[in-house]
Amino acid sequence: MMTEKNIKLRTATIHDLPLLLHWDEQPHVIASDPDDEWEWASELKKTPPWREQLIAELDGRPIGFIQIIDPEKEESHYWGDVQPNLRAIDIWIGEPTDLGKGYGTDMMKQAINRCFSAPEVTAILIDPLASNVAAIRFYERLGFQFVEERTFDTSHCKVYRLTREHWATIK
């Protein structure tokens, strides 16, 4: 998928392991998800039908990561009991020098469109840390609407939802 920034999404592979481990050490990535252990070495080898792990590339240069899951089918049941036909997205920019350039907005719009390309998907969930004001503003600008505050493991988060109907009116 081409965009004005020429950002493309591709499937993450085991060859991305060194890059993802490096990105995991970046302070802005740690700050957005301090408690999460992604277990990249094993997870990159798995391709469950309920998950996509994607690398965003700008003109062929990796700049970020996106994970799209079906929260009803995801095996850890992180989201608890949820209705069917939802998706949940995790996203981050890898290098601090790539922040604030609009790449995340472009990546997220592509991820949203990817989710809603499946006709059964009715809404998308996200769960930024309640303290991550910049991420919350980012999601709100994209049309996500606040649902509730919730603690996942030890992380205090704000859950947001974007419905297909709302996205169709703002995209």
Coordinates of all heavy atoms in Angstrom, one line a residue, residues 3-52:
T3 N 1.5 5.4 0.1 CA 1.0 6.6 0.7 C 1.9 7.8 0.3 O 2.9 7.6 -0.3 CB 1.0 6.5 2.3 OG1 2.3 6.5 2.7 CG2 0.2 5.3 2.8
E4 N 1.4 9.0 0.7 CA 2.2 10.1 0.3 C 3.6 10.1 1.0 O 4.6 10.7 0.5 CB 1.5 11.4 0.6 CG 1.2 11.6 2.1 CD -0.1 10.9 2.6 OE1 -0.7 10.2 1.8 OE2 -0.4 11.1 3.8
K5 N 3.8 9.4 2.1 CA 5.1 9.3 2.7 C 5.8 8.0 2.2 O 6.9 7.7 2.7 CB 4.9 9.2 4.2 CG 4.4 10.6 4.8 CD 4.3 10.5 6.3 CE 3.8 11.8 6.9 NZ 2.6 12.3 6.4
N6 N 5.2 7.2 1.4 CA 5.8 6.0 0.8 C 6.1 5.0 2.0 O 7.2 4.4 2.0 CB 7.0 6.3 0.0 CG 7.3 5.1 -1.0 OD1 6.4 4.3 -1.3 ND2 8.5 5.1 -1.5
I7 N 5.2 4.9 2.9 CA 5.3 3.9 4.0 C 4.6 2.7 3.6 O 3.4 2.7 3.2 CB 4.8 4.5 5.3 CG1 5.7 5.6 5.8 CG2 4.8 3.4 6.4 CD1 5.2 6.3 7.0
K8 N 5.2 1.5 3.7 CA 4.6 0.2 3.4 C 4.7 -0.6 4.6 O 5.7 -0.5 5.4 CB 5.4 -0.5 2.2 CG 5.3 0.3 0.9 CD 6.0 -0.5 -0.2 CE 6.0 0.2 -1.5 NZ 6.7 -0.5 -2.5
L9 N 3.7 -1.5 4.8 CA 3.7 -2.5 5.8 C 4.0 -3.8 5.3 O 3.5 -4.2 4.2 CB 2.3 -2.5 6.5 CG 1.8 -1.2 7.1 CD1 0.4 -1.4 7.7 CD2 2.7 -0.6 8.1
R10 N 4.9 -4.5 6.0 CA 5.2 -5.9 5.6 C 5.2 -6.8 6.8 O 5.4 -6.3 7.9 CB 6.6 -6.0 4.9 CG 7.7 -5.6 5.8 CD 9.1 -6.1 5.2 NE 10.2 -5.6 6.0 CZ 10.7 -6.2 7.1 NH1 10.1 -7.3 7.5 NH2 11.7 -5.8 7.7
T11 N 5.1 -8.1 6.6 CA 5.1 -9.0 7.7 C 6.5 -9.0 8.4 O 7.5 -9.1 7.7 CB 4.7 -10.4 7.2 OG1 3.4 -10.4 6.6 CG2 4.7 -11.4 8.3
A12 N 6.5 -9.0 9.7 CA 7.7 -9.1 10.5 C 8.2 -10.6 10.4 O 7.3 -11.5 10.4 CB 7.5 -8.7 11.9
T13 N 9.5 -10.8 10.3 CA 10.0 -12.1 10.3 C 11.1 -12.3 11.3 O 11.5 -11.3 11.9 CB 10.6 -12.5 8.9 OG1 11.8 -11.7 8.7 CG2 9.6 -12.2 7.8
I14 N 11.6 -13.5 11.5 CA 12.7 -13.7 12.4 C 13.9 -12.9 12.0 O 14.8 -12.5 12.9 CB 13.0 -15.2 12.5 CG1 13.9 -15.5 13.7 CG2 13.6 -15.7 11.2 CD1 13.3 -15.2 15.1
H15 N 14.1 -12.5 10.8 CA 15.2 -11.6 10.4 C 15.1 -10.2 11.0 O 16.1 -9.5 11.0 CB 15.3 -11.6 8.8 CG 15.4 -12.9 8.2 ND1 16.6 -13.7 8.3 CD2 14.6 -13.7 7.5 CE1 16.4 -14.8 7.7 NE2 15.2 -14.8 7.2
D16 N 13.9 -9.9 11.5 CA 13.8 -8.6 12.1 C 14.1 -8.6 13.6 O 14.1 -7.6 14.3 CB 12.3 -8.1 12.0 CG 12.0 -7.8 10.5 OD1 12.7 -7.1 9.9 OD2 11.0 -8.4 10.1
L17 N 14.5 -9.8 14.1 CA 14.8 -9.9 15.6 C 15.8 -8.9 16.1 O 15.5 -8.2 17.1 CB 15.2 -11.3 15.9 CG 15.6 -11.6 17.3 CD1 14.4 -11.4 18.2 CD2 16.1 -13.1 17.5
P18 N 17.0 -8.7 15.5 CA 17.9 -7.7 16.0 C 17.3 -6.3 16.1 O 17.5 -5.6 17.0 CB 19.1 -7.8 15.1 CG 19.0 -9.2 14.4 CD 17.5 -9.4 14.3
L19 N 16.6 -5.9 15.0 CA 16.0 -4.6 15.0 C 15.0 -4.4 16.1 O 15.0 -3.4 16.8 CB 15.3 -4.4 13.6 CG 14.6 -3.1 13.4 CD1 15.6 -1.9 13.4 CD2 13.8 -3.2 12.1
L20 N 14.1 -5.4 16.3 CA 13.1 -5.3 17.3 C 13.7 -5.3 18.7 O 13.2 -4.6 19.6 CB 12.0 -6.4 17.1 CG 11.2 -6.2 15.9 CD1 10.4 -7.5 15.5 CD2 10.2 -5.1 16.0
L21 N 14.7 -6.1 18.9 CA 15.4 -6.1 20.2 C 16.0 -4.7 20.5 O 16.0 -4.2 21.6 CB 16.4 -7.2 20.3 CG 15.9 -8.6 20.3 CD1 17.0 -9.6 20.2 CD2 15.1 -8.8 21.6
H22 N 16.6 -4.1 19.4 CA 17.2 -2.8 19.5 C 16.1 -1.7 19.9 O 16.2 -0.9 20.8 CB 17.9 -2.4 18.3 CG 18.3 -1.0 18.2 ND1 19.3 -0.4 18.9 CD2 17.7 0.1 17.4 CE1 19.4 0.9 18.6 NE2 18.5 1.2 17.7
W23 N 15.0 -1.8 19.1 CA 13.9 -0.8 19.4 C 13.3 -1.0 20.8 O 13.0 0.0 21.4 CB 12.8 -1.0 18.4 CG 13.1 -0.5 17.0 CD1 14.1 0.3 16.6 CD2 12.3 -0.7 15.8 NE1 14.1 0.6 15.3 CE2 13.0 0.0 14.7 CE3 11.2 -1.4 15.5 CZ2 12.5 0.0 13.4 CZ3 10.7 -1.4 14.2 CH2 11.4 -0.7 13.2
D24 N 13.3 -2.2 21.3 CA 12.8 -2.5 22.7 C 13.6 -1.8 23.7 O 13.2 -1.6 24.8 CB 12.7 -4.0 23.0 CG 11.4 -4.6 22.7 OD1 10.4 -3.9 22.3 OD2 11.3 -5.8 22.9
E25 N 14.9 -1.4 23.4 CA 15.8 -0.8 24.3 C 15.7 0.8 24.3 O 16.3 1.4 25.1 CB 17.2 -1.2 24.0 CG 17.5 -2.6 24.3 CD 18.8 -3.1 23.8 OE1 19.6 -2.3 23.2 OE2 19.2 -4.2 24.1
Q26 N 14.9 1.3 23.4 CA 14.8 2.8 23.2 C 13.9 3.3 24.3 O 12.8 2.8 24.6 CB 14.2 3.1 21.8 CG 15.0 2.6 20.7 CD 16.5 3.0 20.8 OE1 16.9 4.1 20.9 NE2 17.3 2.0 20.8
P27 N 14.3 4.4 25.0 CA 13.6 4.9 26.1 C 12.1 5.3 25.8 O 11.2 5.0 26.6 CB 14.4 6.2 26.5 CG 15.8 5.9 26.0 CD 15.6 5.1 24.8
H28 N 11.8 5.8 24.6 CA 10.4 6.1 24.3 C 9.6 4.9 24.1 O 8.4 4.9 24.4 CB 10.3 7.1 23.1 CG 10.7 6.4 21.8 ND1 12.0 6.2 21.4 CD2 9.9 5.9 20.8 CE1 12.0 5.5 20.2 NE2 10.7 5.3 19.9
V29 N 10.2 3.8 23.7 CA 9.4 2.5 23.6 C 9.2 1.9 24.9 O 8.1 1.5 25.3 CB 10.2 1.5 22.6 CG1 9.5 0.2 22.6 CG2 10.3 2.1 21.2
I30 N 10.2 1.9 25.8 CA 10.1 1.4 27.1 C 9.0 2.3 27.9 O 8.2 1.7 28.6 CB 11.4 1.5 27.9 CG1 12.4 0.5 27.3 CG2 11.2 1.2 29.4 CD1 13.8 0.6 27.7
A31 N 9.0 3.6 27.7 CA 8.1 4.4 28.4 C 6.6 4.2 28.0 O 5.7 4.3 28.8 CB 8.4 5.9 28.2
S32 N 6.4 3.7 26.8 CA 5.1 3.5 26.3 C 4.5 2.1 26.8 O 3.3 1.8 26.7 CB 5.0 3.6 24.8 OG 5.6 2.5 24.2
D33 N 5.4 1.2 27.1 CA 5.0 -0.2 27.5 C 6.1 -0.8 28.4 O 6.7 -1.8 28.0 CB 4.9 -1.0 26.2 CG 4.1 -2.2 26.3 OD1 3.5 -2.4 27.4 OD2 4.1 -3.0 25.4
P34 N 6.2 -0.3 29.6 CA 7.3 -0.7 30.5 C 7.3 -2.1 31.0 O 8.3 -2.7 31.3 CB 7.3 0.3 31.6 CG 5.9 0.8 31.7 CD 5.4 0.8 30.2
D35 N 6.1 -2.7 31.1 CA 5.9 -4.0 31.7 C 5.9 -5.2 30.7 O 5.8 -6.3 31.1 CB 4.6 -4.1 32.5 CG 4.6 -3.0 33.6 OD1 5.7 -2.8 34.2 OD2 3.6 -2.5 34.0
D36 N 5.9 -4.9 29.4 CA 5.7 -5.9 28.4 C 6.9 -6.6 28.0 O 7.9 -6.0 27.7 CB 4.9 -5.4 27.2 CG 3.9 -6.3 26.7 OD1 3.9 -7.5 27.1 OD2 3.2 -5.9 25.8
E37 N 6.9 -7.9 28.0 CA 8.0 -8.7 27.4 C 7.4 -9.4 26.1 O 6.5 -10.2 26.2 CB 8.4 -9.8 28.4 CG 9.1 -9.3 29.6 CD 10.4 -8.7 29.3 OE1 11.1 -9.1 28.4 OE2 10.8 -7.7 30.0
W38 N 7.9 -9.0 25.0 CA 7.4 -9.5 23.7 C 7.9 -10.8 23.3 O 7.3 -11.5 22.5 CB 7.7 -8.4 22.6 CG 6.7 -7.3 22.7 CD1 6.8 -6.2 23.6 CD2 5.6 -7.0 22.0 NE1 5.8 -5.4 23.4 CE2 5.0 -5.8 22.4 CE3 4.9 -7.7 20.9 CZ2 3.8 -5.3 21.9 CZ3 3.8 -7.2 20.4 CH2 3.2 -6.0 20.9
E39 N 8.9 -11.3 23.9 CA 9.5 -12.6 23.6 C 9.6 -12.8 22.1 O 9.1 -13.8 21.4 CB 8.6 -13.8 24.2 CG 8.5 -13.7 25.7 CD 7.7 -14.7 26.3 OE1 7.5 -15.8 25.7 OE2 7.2 -14.5 27.4
W40 N 10.3 -11.8 21.4 CA 10.4 -11.8 20.0 C 11.0 -13.0 19.4 O 10.5 -13.5 18.3 CB 11.3 -10.6 19.6 CG 10.8 -9.3 19.9 CD1 11.3 -8.4 20.8 CD2 9.6 -8.6 19.4 NE1 10.5 -7.2 20.9 CE2 9.5 -7.4 19.9 CE3 8.7 -9.0 18.4 CZ2 8.5 -6.5 19.6 CZ3 7.7 -8.2 18.1 CH2 7.6 -6.9 18.7
A41 N 12.0 -13.7 20.0 CA 12.6 -14.8 19.3 C 11.7 -16.0 19.1 O 11.7 -16.6 18.1 CB 13.8 -15.3 20.2
S42 N 10.7 -16.1 20.0 CA 9.7 -17.2 19.8 C 8.5 -16.7 19.0 O 8.0 -17.4 18.1 CB 9.3 -17.9 21.1 OG 8.7 -16.9 21.9
E43 N 8.1 -15.5 19.3 CA 6.8 -15.0 18.7 C 7.0 -14.7 17.2 O 6.0 -14.9 16.4 CB 6.3 -13.7 19.4 CG 5.8 -14.0 20.8 CD 4.6 -15.0 20.8 OE1 3.7 -14.9 20.0 OE2 4.7 -15.9 21.7
L44 N 8.1 -14.3 16.8 CA 8.3 -14.0 15.3 C 8.2 -15.3 14.5 O 8.0 -15.2 13.3 CB 9.6 -13.3 15.1 CG 9.7 -11.8 15.5 CD1 11.1 -11.3 15.4 CD2 8.7 -11.0 14.7
K45 N 8.4 -16.4 15.1 CA 8.4 -17.7 14.4 C 6.9 -18.2 14.3 O 6.7 -19.2 13.5 CB 9.2 -18.8 15.1 CG 10.7 -18.4 15.1 CD 11.5 -19.4 15.9 CE 13.0 -19.0 16.0 NZ 13.7 -19.9 16.9
K46 N 6.0 -17.6 15.0 CA 4.6 -18.1 15.0 C 3.8 -17.2 14.1 O 4.0 -16.0 14.0 CB 4.1 -18.0 16.5 CG 4.8 -18.8 17.5 CD 4.2 -18.6 18.9 CE 5.0 -19.3 19.9 NZ 4.4 -18.9 21.3
T47 N 2.8 -17.8 13.5 CA 1.9 -17.1 12.7 C 0.4 -17.5 13.0 O -0.2 -18.1 12.1 CB 2.2 -17.2 11.2 OG1 2.2 -18.6 10.9 CG2 3.5 -16.7 10.8
P48 N -0.1 -17.3 14.2 CA -1.4 -17.7 14.5 C -2.4 -16.9 13.6 O -2.1 -15.7 13.3 CB -1.6 -17.3 16.0 CG -0.6 -16.3 16.2 CD 0.6 -16.5 15.3
P49 N -3.6 -17.5 13.3 CA -4.5 -16.8 12.4 C -5.2 -15.5 13.0 O -5.7 -14.7 12.3 CB -5.6 -17.8 12.2 CG -5.4 -18.8 13.3 CD -4.0 -18.8 13.7
W50 N -5.0 -15.3 14.3 CA -5.6 -14.2 15.0 C -4.7 -13.0 15.2 O -5.0 -12.0 15.8 CB -6.1 -14.6 16.4 CG -5.1 -15.4 17.2 CD1 -5.1 -16.7 17.4 CD2 -4.0 -14.8 18.0 NE1 -4.0 -17.1 18.2 CE2 -3.4 -15.9 18.6 CE3 -3.6 -13.5 18.3 CZ2 -2.3 -15.8 19.4 CZ3 -2.5 -13.4 19.1 CH2 -1.8 -14.5 19.6
R51 N -3.4 -13.1 14.6 CA -2.4 -12.0 14.8 C -1.7 -11.7 13.5 O -1.3 -12.6 12.7 CB -1.5 -12.4 15.8 CG -0.4 -11.4 16.1 CD 0.6 -11.8 17.1 NE 1.5 -12.8 16.6 CZ 2.3 -13.6 17.3 NH1 2.3 -13.5 18.6 NH2 3.0 -14.5 16.7
E52 N -1.4 -10.4 13.3 CA -0.4 -9.9 12.3 C 0.6 -9.1 13.0 O 0.3 -8.2 13.8 CB -1.1 -9.0 11.3 CG -1.9 -9.7 10.2 CD -2.4 -8.7 9.2 OE1 -3.3 -7.9 9.5 OE2 -1.8 -8.6 8.1

